[in-house]
Amino acid sequence: MQKTTENFNASERRLQKACEYVSDLWFPVNPELLAKIKLGLHGGVYDLDPESLVRTVSGDFSLFMYCLRELLHTLQREGAKLPPLSNPVDILRAAGIERLRQLLDVDESRISRHSFDDIDEVQVARFQETMVSASSAEVLASSFRLEPEVGFSAALMRQLGHTLIAWNYPTVYKEALSSLDGESTLDVALAERLGFSPTLLAIRMLVSWGIPTQFCEALFLMDDEEEGDEDELAAFNQILAGSLAKLCRIGEALARANNPKLYPNAAHEWEFAKQAIVEKLGKDGLEMIQDALADNIEDYVTFMPEIFTGASILEPDLHLAQAQQDCIISRNPYLALCGPVLRAKLTAIYISHPQGYLYEKGLTELVHTVIPSSGFTAGCIYTIDPGVQMLLAQTKIGEMQLKKGAPIDYSIVASDTDSVSVAFRSMEPVVEFNLAPTGELISGIAGVIGHSNRIGVLYLEVPHSTFMQREKECIAEFKALARTVSDCLQLD
């Protein structure tokens, strides 16, 4: 019992220290936008249009959360309490020009010690995920009978913990991202390393600011709709029935789906998000979210277009296809050197037969369709028989001209007598050329199947004139085919 208490106390101290640390350092503001706001405040631009100031501040994640934090602290000092389900943007409206002027007429370093000058790719991705999530929640809110502003600001609050960790524990954040394997979540990976999750960090901070506990519960803890009596649902505007967390969760899934390079489970996330978006918004839902996203990051794109323009591209299907292609090429790098037709056919084999399964159908398609249409006229897959130290012709492709398909000795004594046996012991393909019985000059290329676990040789023939015209391409395409055979047989 004492040990449990000690562990709890240590965890509490760690979390409290983290809250103080990230509150002090925060995350960067858009300096151009802050300068524009200060210029407008000094020039009286916002005196007649305070709503314009609220909209402008809400367009910067860091400024919005900073102002919300400081205003809530002020309300706490004054003894005021918020209704359970206040619209966070209304807090800025109620503050008035003078209070916002006091908060915003400061140097950017007073708000955050970080700068966009130091932003890295992971932090850009975090920013993109936040804005996609918030824009999605803004558009989806009406379908959940919520105000768009409530959806937008709620999504930002859910992203607060992740953002603060990404900027103030950047090494830990990157390590957690790189550890994702489709089984664990980023929250779990971060909690294992920090001792607290991004959600716990955000809840602790929001509650300490004065955000009502009921709002935080609706925001983070209630993912599924629950039944309740009509009076209760009306009083809480259905937020406590799980609507707020649910609409945010759709946007977050969309954001992860839009970045499959970081999230191995992106395809599954996209299935969930796409179905929910179509159900709530119709077939044009993604386009509606794209428009909202473009509006919400307009000031960021104007500030640093080279960094933030890419963050405005919301195309999960395209990103997933590209990530899949990149994954396949990482397994078979020779695909990138193939002509477009052969590359497409080999890519289709990888896509149709997921990694981890014996690709019997893929190998059959390779032998009967892909290789015969790739420019190679004939060939054979040889496999070893260690008992007799022979390479045996297992699968013939067309009518070979330079080989008869007889067993080939690969023993040390006789391994240099045939190109196939030489290739079995070589790191690179072996090329020979000779006259066929027809009198045609034929080139033969032989290469090992498997490397750390060599089980045979792929041998292919091509007219020598063709080989001489495109030697580099022939070798590259042969390597791509040999690697595909190895992958079909699950060989390293």
Side-chain angles (χ1 to χ4, degrees):
M1 185 68 175
Q2 182 179 358
K3 188 67 173 178
T4 301
T5 302
E6 290 176 356
N7 290 340
F8 175 78
N9 291 336
S11 178
E12 281 293 300
R13 287 194 298 271
R14 183 164 53 246
L15 180 58
Q16 183 59 35
K17 184 177 179 180
C19 288
E20 295 170 358
Y21 174 66
V22 299
S23 294
D24 184 38
L25 296 179
W26 207 236
F27 56 102
V29 301
N30 179 341
E32 287 189 3
L33 184 63
L34 181 58
K36 173 185 171 182
I37 290 172
K38 290 194 287 186
L39 187 63
L41 288 169
H42 292 161
V45 172
Y46 301 117
D47 292 343
L48 299 177
D49 188 12
E51 182 63 21
S52 175
L53 176 59
V54 171
R55 287 197 305 269
T56 304
V57 170
S58 300
D60 184 285
F61 183 21
S62 179
L63 275 182
F64 175 66
M65 299 305 294
Y66 162 75
C67 288
L68 188 62
R69 181 187 73 186
E70 297 304 313
L71 291 171
L72 286 168
H73 282 163
T74 299
L75 289 174
Q76 278 190 317
R77 289 194 295 269
E78 294 174 356
K81 289 187 177 180
L82 294 177
L85 301 175
S86 295
N87 176 353
V89 181
D90 283 342
I91 297 172
L92 271 64
R93 291 191 178 99
I97 291 292
E98 288 307 315
R99 276 184 172 172
L100 289 175
R101 189 194 312 275
Q102 292 174 15
L103 291 177
L104 296 167
D105 196 12
V106 296
D107 187 82
E108 62 183 278
S109 61
R110 288 278 304 277
I111 300 173
S112 173
R113 301 188 193 182
H114 296 293
S115 165
F116 279 121
D117 292 338
D118 304 322
I119 195 169
D120 60 30
E121 289 184 7
V122 169
Q123 289 162 341
V124 170
R126 165 95 318 261
F127 164 85
Q128 180 183 29
E129 191 172 337
T130 296
M131 298 314 295
V132 169
S133 173
S135 300
S136 302
E138 178 184 23
V139 176
L140 285 162
S142 297
S143 67
F144 284 88
R145 287 182 281 180
L146 299 171
E147 295 179 28
E149 285 182 347
V150 172
F152 180 82
S153 54
L156 292 182
M157 290 179 181
R158 279 176 63 104
Q159 297 297 313
L160 180 62
H162 290 86
T163 301
L164 288 168
I165 291 171
W167 280 96
N168 298 297
Y169 300 90
T171 301
V172 174
Y173 188 81
K174 291 175 187 175
E175 288 176 353
L177 268 178
S178 63
S179 73
L180 299 182
D181 56 7
E183 297 294 329
S184 62
T185 65
L186 180 57
D187 281 50
V188 170
L190 286 168
E192 289 174 345
R193 288 162 173 79
L194 292 171
F196 55 86
S197 69
T199 295
L200 187 58
L201 177 65
I203 290 174
R204 179 59 62 88
M205 295 187 71
L206 292 172
V207 170
S208 72
W209 299 354
I211 294 290
T213 302
Q214 297 98 319
F215 190 94
C216 290
E217 288 177 350
L219 191 61
F220 291 100
L221 302 180
M222 300 186 67
D223 284 345
D224 297 313
E225 294 187 16
E226 297 177 1
E227 296 295 331
D229 63 63
E230 292 184 2
D231 291 339
E232 182 182 14
L233 291 179
F236 289 99
N237 197 25
Q238 289 195 330
I239 290 182
L240 292 186
S243 296
L244 191 59
K246 190 169 186 178
L247 78 91
C248 288
R249 205 168 73 243
I250 295 169
E252 289 160 2
L254 174 61
R256 290 189 291 269
N258 202 48
N259 198 347
K261 289 184 178 179
L262 293 183
Y263 295 100
N265 218 18
H268 176 73
E269 301 276 19
W270 178 221
E271 288 179 11
F272 164 74
K274 180 164 54 176
Q275 180 179 348
I277 290 168
V278 171
E279 177 185 333
K280 294 294 183 180
L281 302 175
K283 61 183 179 62
D284 297 326
L286 187 64
E287 185 177 346
M288 295 164 63
I289 295 172
Q290 172 69 79
D291 291 341
L293 175 62
D295 289 341
N296 288 330
I297 69 170
E298 182 178 1
D299 287 318
Y300 288 105
V301 174
T302 302
F303 165 48
M304 295 184 77
E306 70 281 6
I307 290 179
F308 294 115
T309 298
S312 66
I313 301 175
L314 186 56
E315 295 182 331
D317 284 323
L318 178 63
H319 294 314
L320 283 166
Q322 184 60 56
Q324 189 176 50
Q325 180 71 30
D326 292 344
C327 179
I328 291 171
I329 288 178
S330 71
R331 294 173 60 192
N332 190 342
Y334 306 111
L335 284 176
L337 304 176
C338 293
V341 175
L342 179 58
R343 182 168 64 246
K345 290 180 178 180
L346 292 178
T347 298
I349 290 177
Y350 281 95
I351 292 173
S352 301
H353 307 281
Q355 187 175 11
Y357 296 89
L358 183 62
Y359 303 160
E360 293 181 0
K361 291 183 179 179
L363 188 59
T364 299
E365 183 178 354
L366 191 67
V367 169
H368 292 293
T369 304
V370 177
I371 292 177
S373 66
S374 66
F376 293 99
T377 54
C380 185
I381 296 176
Y382 292 86
T383 59
I384 60 171
D385 184 330
V388 294
Q389 291 192 304
M390 302 289 281
L391 285 154
L392 306 179
Q394 296 290 352
T395 305
K396 294 182 181 180
I397 305 164
E399 293 294 328
M400 293 185 290
Q401 300 297 311
L402 304 186
K403 306 290 181 186
K404 294 181 179 180
I408 299 172
D409 192 334
Y410 70 88
S411 65
I412 295 177
V413 175
S415 62
D416 61 348
T417 60
D418 189 284
S419 62
V420 171
S421 61
V422 173
F424 180 69
R425 298 185 181 278
S426 301
M427 295 299 295
E428 291 293 325
V430 175
V431 180
E432 65 173 332
F433 60 92
N434 213 329
L435 285 174
T438 60
E440 182 184 9
L441 196 59
I442 298 292
S443 292
I445 309 174
V448 68
I449 299 171
H451 287 280
S452 59
N453 182 24
R454 299 183 175 216
I455 62 95
V457 171
L458 173 65
Y459 170 79
L460 296 178
E461 293 181 348
V462 63
H464 187 64
S465 58
T466 301
F467 181 80
M468 293 303 294
Q469 288 173 4
R470 48 191 306 271
E471 178 179 350
K472 288 184 179 180
E473 292 85 349
C474 281
I475 295 295
E477 291 176 353
F478 175 86
K479 288 182 175 180
L481 290 165
R483 181 55 185 264
T484 306
V485 171
S486 295
D487 287 340
C488 284
L489 298 174
Q490 301 184 63
L491 301 171
D492 295 328

